[in-house]
Structure formats: C-alpha cells, structure tokens
C-alpha cells in the first residue's frame, strides 16, 4: 500500500476511470506546465494531468500553479474527472482522467535546473553525477533501483525462507589479504598499523562454515582500489553465499534456482540448467573465458586443413609447439562492413595482440578473394569454404601464431565485428535475450604477467584443486585444474566461486610453496582449518553487473544510487577530500603536501 502512513490519498500513477467523482490529494513534482491551463504532476509511480481552474473563485490556485517553476514540489487536492472525448492519452496509465484542482500548495519551489529531468534529454555523465539527486528523479533510474530492490528481496526469500540460509553481516574493517586486487587502507590510532577494507568477505564466510553455520549469505559491500571501468566501481555489492558439505554441482543448482526465482517477469523466463563449458573450450571457441553465446561466429581451427598447403607464414606458425591457424566467419560482412571497418579490425588485432590478420571474401559467384587463393587449389578452396561454412558475401578473418594469442585476438575481433554489424543494422544480440553459461575447469594457477616464472592464483588462494589433479599440486602445479566456476551472462562475468581448501596442510603448501606468500598473514584461518573444518564452497554474484544486464544499462553506474565516477570520485560530495594535519595527527600520518598539491592540480 503506497498510501499508508502518508497524507496523500493516491499516487500520481494509479488514478483511472473508477476514481471519477472522488476527491483526491496528490503530492509530487511539476513535470510540465502549459500556459496556465494544465500541468502534469509526477511522483515515483507515474504522471497525472492537473487542470488549473480558470474561474475567479479559484484565482489564487491559478496564480500559484501557473507561476510555480518546473520541478517544484506541490500538493494538489481536487476532483477526478473523465477527460473530454478525443483527449484521452492511451500512452499514460492515467490517460483516461484528469484532476480538477480545488486547492494547492507549493511545498518547495525549484530553482533553475542544471538539466531537464527527462530521459530523452542528453546529459553528460559528469553533470548527472554532480547532481545525482536530480538524476534520480528520471524514470529509468527510478525503475532500475526499484527493480533491484525487488530482485534482492526475492533472493532473500529464496535463500532464507525456502532454503534455510542465515543472513550474517561480516566486518568492514579487517587486515590485508595476500594476492587479488589492491585493497583500500584505513589508518588506525596504533602507529604504523592499518585496517584494510575487504575486497570480499571470503575469509569470514569460510570461518562461518568452520563455526558450523552450514549456510550463509549476505548482501555484501565490497571494496577494490583499482581503476573504475563501465562494469567496475571501487565499492560494489555482491550476493555472497557459502555452504558446507556441498560440491560444484550443488552450488550451480542453487544459483540456477535462485536466479529463476528472483528473475523479473517482464524479462521473460530463463531456462535451467544453464549450459556448461570448460575454460579450454571457451578460449578455443570464443577467445575468452566469458563468451557471449547469443550469436555464432565461433572460432574455427583450420590448422589440419592448411598444414597441407605451401603457405609460408602458416607453416612458420605451425612449426612452434603451440602453433595454430584459426579463423572466424563474419556473416554478410561484404554487405554490412566497409573497407575501413575491415582495416580497423586488422589494426585492432595488430595494436592489441601483435597479431597479423588475413581476410578471405566469398564473392557472388562463390569463389574466394584473398591473397591466400594463389596458394590453394580449387579443391582446397572448396574444402576451406566447407570447413568455415562460408556463404556468399561472408568475410573470414584468419590468424596464425601461438594458440592463446590467436584465440584472444580472434575473440576480440568477434565482438568488434558484432558491434560493427549491429551498427550497420543487423541484429545479433537483442536486449531481451539472456544467455547464461557456466565456465568450469579453470587452471588453479597462472604465470604472473610481471614475472612469468612465478605463479599467482587464477581465482584466489583458497580455491581447491580438482580432485583428479591433487597429486599434480605437489609435482607440477601449472597443470592443476581448479574447482573454480564462473557464471557468465551475455559475455559478462556475473558470478564466480569455488570449492575451498579445507585442509590446513594443503592451504599452507599453496601459500608458502606455490605462491611464495607469507602465510603468517593468514595464521588465523590456517589455525581455524585445524579445528575440524568441514568441506565447503560458495559463490558471489555481482549484483550491480547482474542488474545492469537485466535492464540493458550501458554502465553499472546506472543501477547504483550514488556511484563513483570513472576515476573513482564522488562528484556530488567531492570525495575523496583533504583533511587537516590536526585530523591526521592521531593516526601518526603526515602528508607530503607538495605531491598532494601537484595531484590536485592534475585533477
């Protein structure tokens, strides 16, 4: 009941012909006012047309409403009337009626606006962030935040009421965790000692399992001190889950049920179980560990076919241990892509991946146009067309080289090509199409970028090895698969989790011998694992990213009430901000002011 506990009788979005003749009191913002004849009143639920009285007896009401600036907050009391025949507005839920104002009050006038509160008016993101309280009045942001609230409530119902999970709040002030993203530091009054803001409640949820809670969940606030991107924020929210005595399949079934239960009706149904793919398959077929499976254009391996050819660069590539030749086929590429588009794709592969790309075009007569054709017989060309399933006007992009580099380059070109095709009018990825996918069997460790001879955790250091690969952990850790699983939606990672190491001995070995980390930082967890820790596992869903995909928002900032800017700043409150030396003194911190002033000028 939207009208409980308040002094209005109705919202601006609920009146219809059944209310005709009733006296109502509405509160809201003036959306639009026309020549002192009528105005449109808006609140969180919708719009209602208010007729401004023209008779002498109500002259004060006319003056009040005619002179009130747009976006002023008003109270209007009046009689609900049917709109005159032919003046109904079928696009408005309240389009059959209007309210003839009897009394009115300006509760708060609005000064000149920095931008119009209309969704179709283009506004710079910086301006929207600076005046976020005004931007929040837009229909789209109102819809996004209310849908987010409804989804979270349904998730709570599913987890707590239907499956016995316990909602537990974990600390925000903790200590540094080895590996992973950079963490924000918070000074303490003990000289030289700092708290860290957790990048996730990972250790706490494992400790809750050791504590016997069995099933935990939390709508958790998390923090990462890294650059902001369209799908990243320095502070974000995740649906954090952990269970005892569970395997990978159990976690996956739980999450599929959770999403099916909380999925908004207006976005259609989602089918379970979600398909699954190994990390190796994802990389080989899509060039990424988060494939967008809404459209085809899969990467095709043609190494065996071209091994019989006399093409020198192909033979050079295949002579290396992990050498390969792969290609993607762009449907109707000749029709939809211009020469400059193809050149930009080739330049992108060169600049980002140092990968040369060769194009092959299928001409109207079915023959091939390419620098390669002179090295291929007609039979070989026909076999190539068949291998790539080429049709007239298709364009193939071919790459030869080291397997991972070739796959990554073609995976990136696949997405760029889809963008170009859609910009030219071909629909490949509808906004109401949702393709979920589990990606499994990740490597447990990856070489560090800055020093490939050292290893780092592909997920985090608490992830358990695949049961079949446990012995390799001690002999050849680079070959160990993990019990880590990612949930991908439309090419974006929306969740990730794993079965955890529950043996103190194995956890210590991973930290000290494989990752070369100081295990003393995690002594509390290692000790806890020695006190009868149950087997356990969990997952975290990125709530901001999930909601942004559901509502087809261009950025997660459009589903967060008060987000940070691209550079991690709060443009509305101007945070972070300077503090005085006196305020820093209890924390035993001194700022190098010349450096701070230099950065301030740069910002």
């Amino acid at each position: 009941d939207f009208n409980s506990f308040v002094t209005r009788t109705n919202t601006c979005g609920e009146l219809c012909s059944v209310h005709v003749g009733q006296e109502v009191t509405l509160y809201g913002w003036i959306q639009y006012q026309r020549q002192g004849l009528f105005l449109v009143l808006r609140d969180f639920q919708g719009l209602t047309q208010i007729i401004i009285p023209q008779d002498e007896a109500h002259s004060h009401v006319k003056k009040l409403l005619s002179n009130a600036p747009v976006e002023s907050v008003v109270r209007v009391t009046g009689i609900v009337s049917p709109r005159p025949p032919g003046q109904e507005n079928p696009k408005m839920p309240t389009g059959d009626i209007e309210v003839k104002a009897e009394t009115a009050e300006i509760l708060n006038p609005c000064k000149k606006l920095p931008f119009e509160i209309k969704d179709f008016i283009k506004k710079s993101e910086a301006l929207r962030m600076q005046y976020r309280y005004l931007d929040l009045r837009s229909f789209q942001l109102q819809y996004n935040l209310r849908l987010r609230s409804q989804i979270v409530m349904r998730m709570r119902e599913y987890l707590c009421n239907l499956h016995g999970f316990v909602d537990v709040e974990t600390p925000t002030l903790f200590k540094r965790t080895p590996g992973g993203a950079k963490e924000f530091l918070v000074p303490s009054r003990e000289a030289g000692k700092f708290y860290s803001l957790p990048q996730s409640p990972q250790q706490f949820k494992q400790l809750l399992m050791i504590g016997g809670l069995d099933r935990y969940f939390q709508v958790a606030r998390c923090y990462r001190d890294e650059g902001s991107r369209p799908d990243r924020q320095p502070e974000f929210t995740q649906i954090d889950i952990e269970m005892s005595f569970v395997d990978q399949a159990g976690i996956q079934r739980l999450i599929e049920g959770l999403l099916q239960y909380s999925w908004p009706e207006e976005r259609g149904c989602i089918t379970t179980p979600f398909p699954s793919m190994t990390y190796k398959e994802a990389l080989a077929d899509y060039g990424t560990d988060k494939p967008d499976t809404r459209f085809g254009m899969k990467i095709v391996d043609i190494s065996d076919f071209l091994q019989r050819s006399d093409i020198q660069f192909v033979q050079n590539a295949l002579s290396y241990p992990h050498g390969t030749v792969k290609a993607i086929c762009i449907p109707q590429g000749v029709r939809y892509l211009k020469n400059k588009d193809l050149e930009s794709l080739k330049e992108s592969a060169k600049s980002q991946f140092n990968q040369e790309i060769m194009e092959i075009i299928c001409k109207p007569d079915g023959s091939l146009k390419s620098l390669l054709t002179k090295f291929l017989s007609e039979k070989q060309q026909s076999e190539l067309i068949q291998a790539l399933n080429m049709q007239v006007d298709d364009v193939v992009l071919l790459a030869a080289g080291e397997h991972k580099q070739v796959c990554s380059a073609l995976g990136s070109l696949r997405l760029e090509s889809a963008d170009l095709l859609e910009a030219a009018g071909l629909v490949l990825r509808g906004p109401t199409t949702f393709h979920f996918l589990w990606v499994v069997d990740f490597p447990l460790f990856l070489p560090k970028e800055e020093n490939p001879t050292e290893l780092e955790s592909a997920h985090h250091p608490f992830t358990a090895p695949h049961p079949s690969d446990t012995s390799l952990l001690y002999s050849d850790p680079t070959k160990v698969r993990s019990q880590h699983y990612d949930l991908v939606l439309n090419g974006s990672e929306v969740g990730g989790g794993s079965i955890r190491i529950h043996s103190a001995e194995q956890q210590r070995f991973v930290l000290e011998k494989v990752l070369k980390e100081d295990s003393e930082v995690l002594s509390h967890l290692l000790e806890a694992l020695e006190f009868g820790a149950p087997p356990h596992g969990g997952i975290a869903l990125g709530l901001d990213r999930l909601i942004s995909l559901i509502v087809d928002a261009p950025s997660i900032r459009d589903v967060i009430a008060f987000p940070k800017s691209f550079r991690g700043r709060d443009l509305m409150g101007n945070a972070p901000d300077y503090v005085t030396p006196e305020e820093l003194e209890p924390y035993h911190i001194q700022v190098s002011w010349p450096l701070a002033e230099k950065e301030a000028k740069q910002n």
Side-chain angles (χ1 to χ4, degrees), residues 198-216:
Q199 50 188 295
S200 81
Q202 181 60 47
Q203 293 181 57
F204 291 112
K205 62 182 182 178
Q206 289 192 241
L207 292 166
L208 287 168
M209 296 304 100
I210 296 168
L213 256 78
D214 192 70
R215 296 180 169 208
Y216 143 92

Side-chain angles (χ1 to χ4, degrees), residues 272-288:
T272 60
F274 300 153
S276 183
M277 183 183 297
T278 67
Y279 170 80
K280 276 188 176 178
E281 289 170 338
L283 193 63
D285 292 347
Y286 297 94
T288 175

Side-chain angles (χ1 to χ4, degrees), residues 10 13 26 29 48 53 76 104 108 146 209 240 273 277 314 369 379 396-397 404 428 436 444 464 505 582:
N10 302 87
L26 308 178
W29 287 263
T48 298
V76 174
N108 213 332
R146 291 177 191 283
M209 296 304 100
D240 203 48
M277 183 183 297
V314 167
K369 176 186 172 186
K379 184 184 176 191
V396 163
L397 301 180
K404 189 167 185 183
L428 293 175
F436 283 97
L444 188 58
E505 182 186 352
E582 292 76 23

Side-chain angles (χ1 to χ4, degrees), residues 140 143-144 147-148 151 230-231 263-264 267 290-292 294 429-436 487-495 542-559:
Q140 191 61 58
Y143 173 80
N144 292 353
L147 184 70
R148 177 182 175 130
I151 289 172
D231 60 347
W263 197 256
R267 286 296 183 267
K290 41 180 185 288
D292 189 341
R294 287 175 294 175
R429 303 165 292 189
T432 56
T433 304
F434 298 98
H435 280 221
F436 283 97
L487 181 61
V488 176
L489 172 59
N490 293 356
S492 290
E493 181 195 332
V494 292
L543 183 64
D544 309 307
R545 201 175 303 176
L546 177 64
I547 303 296
S548 71
L549 290 168
I550 291 173
V551 300
D552 194 31
S555 161
I556 63 170
R557 291 189 282 275
D558 290 318
V559 299

Side-chain angles (χ1 to χ4, degrees), residues 109-284:
C110 179
K111 70 176 188 177
K112 184 175 171 53
L113 292 162
F115 53 80
E116 286 189 69
I117 316 292
K118 289 175 183 169
D119 287 311
F120 60 84
I121 299 289
K122 295 276 186 192
K123 300 152 300 237
S124 74
E125 190 167 55
L127 196 63
R128 290 177 57 203
M129 305 274 278
Q130 184 182 350
Y131 295 96
R132 189 62 168 183
Y133 45 85
L134 293 178
D135 198 33
L136 285 169
R137 295 181 189 176
S138 71
F139 168 78
Q140 191 61 58
L141 276 185
Q142 289 268 328
Y143 173 80
N144 292 353
L145 293 177
R146 291 177 191 283
L147 184 70
R148 177 182 175 130
S149 172
Q150 290 163 17
I151 289 172
V152 170
M153 182 57 70
R154 294 280 288 171
M155 286 180 168
R156 285 186 189 279
E157 284 176 16
Y158 183 84
L159 292 168
C160 294
N161 298 354
L162 299 184
H163 294 286
F165 279 77
V166 185
D167 185 352
V168 181
E169 296 171 7
T170 54
T172 301
L173 295 175
F174 194 43
K175 63 189 289 188
R176 186 184 70 84
T177 303
K182 288 183 180 177
E183 295 172 332
F184 286 101
L185 297 177
V186 179
S188 77
R189 291 174 184 264
E190 294 184 57
K193 290 190 175 182
F194 292 80
Y195 296 105
S196 280
L197 300 182
Q199 50 188 295
S200 81
Q202 181 60 47
Q203 293 181 57
F204 291 112
K205 62 182 182 178
Q206 289 192 241
L207 292 166
L208 287 168
M209 296 304 100
I210 296 168
L213 256 78
D214 192 70
R215 296 180 169 208
Y216 143 92
F217 111 96
Q218 179 183 188
V219 181
R221 298 293 287 161
C222 305
Y223 308 88
R224 287 180 188 166
D225 188 8
E226 56 186 17
S228 195
R229 301 204 304 259
D231 60 347
R232 287 276 172 93
Q233 283 275 290
E235 51 181 329
F236 56 97
T237 306
Q238 62 187 36
I239 304 297
D240 203 48
I241 291 170
E242 198 80 5
M243 298 172 73
S244 296
F245 313 110
V246 71
D247 59 11
Q248 182 170 306
I251 295 284
Q252 289 175 338
R253 285 197 305 272
L254 168 76
I255 295 304
E256 288 166 359
L258 172 70
L259 288 168
Q260 206 167 34
Y261 186 86
S262 58
W263 197 256
E265 283 183 22
E266 61 265 37
R267 286 296 183 267
C269 296
I270 54 174
T271 307
T272 60
F274 300 153
S276 183
M277 183 183 297
T278 67
Y279 170 80
K280 276 188 176 178
E281 289 170 338
L283 193 63

